[in-house]
Amino acid sequence: MEEVLAEDAIDAGYLKFRQQQGVGEGGFSGVWVAKASRETRDRYAKALRGVAADLLAAAQELEGAGTVEARRRAQARVRSAAPKGWTRWLVILLPKPGKPLDVVAKRRDIFLQPHGLKLLMNAVKPVYDEVARGAQPASNAGFRERRNPPECALSFGGLREDALDRRRAVFWGFADKGGFFNSCVRRVQRAVEARVGVAPEVTSVVMALHDSLEVSFDSGEGLTHGTESEVGNGQGDTCGPTRSMEPLAIETRAIDWLVSGYGITTPWWVDRDGVGQLLFADDGATCAETHRGLQLAFYVMSAMARVLGFSIGVE
C-alpha cells in the first residue's frame, strides 16, 4: 500500500473535497485537512499509510478465516484497525423525481462515508481507473474520463438515422439494473478484480472494510440500529461506481460474444457483427436488426444478471 498511497495520490485526493459535502459519522470534513499546512497534511498522510498497513494485516486474516467464529474475530480486528466510524456508514434515502415517496425501493440510497476513509478511497481510485481503461468495453460511457450521456444520445440518434437511410428495421430494448451499486455480490467482485488486474492489496483492504461494515439508515425520525452489510459497493463510495462497472463489463462482453451474427449493419471498415449496445453505467440500450437477435441478447443479459447477482428493474 505504500506505493499506492504515494504523496501525489494523497494530494490529488485532497483536491476532491468540497465545502458543501456530506460527511459520515463524527462530522469530520476533509476540507479541514485539505486547507491545512503542508506539515499537517504530511502528518495526516503518514497516519493514513499506517492505518492502511494495519488494515491490510487484518484483511489477510479475514481472507484466511475458515469458520464463522474465525470470521467474526477477523471482522472485529478489521474494525479495531480502522479509525472510529470507518466501518459504520450512514445511509440517506433520497427521493427520485417522479417516483412514489412511500416506496423505499424507489428511493436512491446514498452512503455517507467518514472523510478520512474517503481520502483513502480517493487515493486508491487511480488504481481502479487505470484497470477500467483496459477492462471496460467502448460501448459503456459510464464514469469514464471524457465520456458522458450525450454521446450515447448522439449515437442512438445516429443509428436510427442510419437505419432509415438503409431502409432497415432496427429493434431496440432498454434495461436498467435495480439498485445497481448496492446489489454487487462481493465474492463476484473479488474474483473480477483479480481477473482484471487490480492490485491484490488494494482489493484486500477495500473488501475487508466492506465485509466488516455496519450501516444505519436515516429514517427521518432518527438513525436505525446498525445492520451488517453483506452485499454491494456503496453508492456514495468514491470507488463504488468504477468498481461496480467491472462485473457489468462481463455481462456486456458476454452479449457481444454470444449474440454475434444478429447485430446491426455497420460500415465496411467496422469489424463487428454483434448487437449494438449503448450504456451509461447500468442504464443501457441494445439494438439488433431482428426481433430474434434482440430477444437472444436479453436472454444472455438475464442469465448473466443471475450469475453476477444483478437485478433488472421492471417499471
Side-chain angles (χ1 to χ4, degrees), residues 230-284:
E230 298 180 350
V231 68
N233 291 326
Q235 185 162 257
D237 181 286
T238 301
C239 297
T242 307
R243 294 181 67 232
S244 300
M245 298 307 297
E246 292 166 355
L248 183 63
I250 296 178
E251 177 187 295
T252 307
R253 293 190 185 281
I255 294 173
D256 274 345
W257 297 332
L258 299 176
V259 197
S260 60
Y262 287 94
I264 55 177
T265 301
T266 57
W268 62 268
W269 64 84
V270 178
D271 183 18
R272 178 184 176 84
D273 64 352
V275 298
Q277 295 188 79
L278 297 171
L279 299 97
F280 186 84
D282 59 306
D283 299 319

Side-chain angles (χ1 to χ4, degrees), residues 12-57:
Y14 285 131
L15 298 177
K16 296 181 181 180
F17 288 117
R18 304 185 305 276
Q19 195 71 42
Q20 299 294 325
Q21 188 172 16
V23 296
E25 185 171 300
F28 169 73
S29 174
V31 172
W32 299 342
V33 181
K35 292 185 176 181
S37 65
R38 177 78 259 180
E39 180 184 0
T40 300
R41 294 201 303 273
D42 288 344
R43 291 175 64 185
Y44 196 89
K46 182 179 179 180
L48 191 68
R49 295 187 189 100
V51 169
D54 292 343
L55 284 172
L56 181 57

Side-chain angles (χ1 to χ4, degrees), residues 17 21-30 85-86 88-91 110-122 206 209-210 213 233-240:
F17 288 117
Q21 188 172 16
V23 296
E25 185 171 300
F28 169 73
S29 174
W86 278 31
R88 185 171 185 261
W89 296 0
L90 310 181
V91 185
I110 301 297
F111 287 61
L112 299 179
Q113 292 179 324
H115 279 198
L117 172 58
K118 191 170 283 290
L119 178 59
L120 175 71
M121 300 307 293
N122 287 349
V206 173
L209 286 167
H210 285 217
L213 188 62
N233 291 326
Q235 185 162 257
D237 181 286
T238 301
C239 297

Side-chain angles (χ1 to χ4, degrees), residues 127-128 131-132 189 192-203 246:
V127 174
Y128 285 106
V131 169
Q189 185 74 41
V192 172
E193 289 191 15
R195 174 72 176 180
V196 300
V198 176
E201 63 271 22
V202 172
T203 296
E246 292 166 355

Side-chain angles (χ1 to χ4, degrees), residues 84-247:
K84 184 179 179 180
W86 278 31
T87 54
R88 185 171 185 261
W89 296 0
L90 310 181
V91 185
I92 55 176
L93 301 173
L94 299 180
K96 296 181 180 179
K99 302 294 183 181
L101 298 178
D102 57 342
V103 180
V104 174
K106 296 298 183 181
R107 289 180 174 243
R108 191 181 307 281
D109 43 350
I110 301 297
F111 287 61
L112 299 179
Q113 292 179 324
H115 279 198
L117 172 58
K118 191 170 283 290
L119 178 59
L120 175 71
M121 300 307 293
N122 287 349
V124 303
K125 189 174 185 296
V127 174
Y128 285 106
D129 290 341
E130 179 65 29
V131 169
R133 280 190 278 272
Q136 288 298 326
S139 57
N140 199 323
F143 306 105
R144 302 175 70 179
E145 189 178 13
R146 297 180 181 178
R147 306 290 300 276
N148 51 49
E151 74 169 75
C152 297
L154 287 171
S155 299
F156 179 81
L159 287 167
R160 290 183 60 189
E161 292 293 332
D162 185 67
L164 288 170
D165 185 59
R166 295 171 181 270
R167 304 291 196 274
R168 290 178 178 271
V170 175
F171 294 82
W172 286 92
F174 303 89
D176 178 19
K177 302 293 188 297
F180 175 56
F181 298 122
N182 298 327
S183 68
C184 294
V185 177
R186 290 179 185 152
R187 289 180 62 187
V188 173
Q189 185 74 41
R190 184 186 293 275
V192 172
E193 289 191 15
R195 174 72 176 180
V196 300
V198 176
E201 63 271 22
V202 172
T203 296
S204 294
V205 168
V206 173
M207 294 297 294
L209 286 167
H210 285 217
D211 285 341
S212 306
L213 188 62
E214 292 183 351
V215 297
S216 294
F217 288 79
D218 184 350
S219 66
E221 299 292 335
L223 293 174
T224 63
H225 295 293
T227 303
E228 288 192 356
S229 171
E230 298 180 350
V231 68
N233 291 326
Q235 185 162 257
D237 181 286
T238 301
C239 297
T242 307
R243 294 181 67 232
S244 300
M245 298 307 297
E246 292 166 355

